Amino acid sequence: MGEVRKRLKGSEIIYDNRDALAEELLRLGGSKITDVVNIENGTVTLKELDEIPDHALTAIKKIKVTPTRNGDQVEVEMIDKVRVLQLLAKSAGLLDTEKQIDKPSVVAIEMVMPDDTKADTGGSET
């Protein structure tokens, strides 16, 4: 029972802060690698920390520094942008329409029987 209460409480917190959560997802989705590195004449250098916008800092998944003879080799890995955009699209209801397209339609079928009134009218056969 305590775990269920925790989940409900967590859901309330997320629901109450949904606007801030959506804004953060938008910032993450808008981050680019060029917010973090400079690319000039085929050379890639890491920007100074104060040059990197906050939204780009939060979009960095990993930074790996490997010392080499020619200086440090720096690898920057950003978060999975596609996943962030999927979350945004799902929360906006954009993915629901695709699901509706794949569902079968319900069609009403009305059966009409032949009209039996001719036989009851007392018409004569010739």
Side-chain angles (χ1 to χ4, degrees), residues 33-38 45-53:
I33 191 69
T34 53
D35 291 333
V36 179
V37 298
N38 291 314
T45 56
L46 192 61
K47 290 185 177 183
E48 293 294 324
L49 188 60
D50 61 349
E51 295 176 14
I52 302 173

Side-chain angles (χ1 to χ4, degrees), residues 111-120:
M111 297 192 63
V112 179
M113 300 302 290
D115 191 11
D116 290 336
T117 57
K118 292 180 183 176
D120 294 336

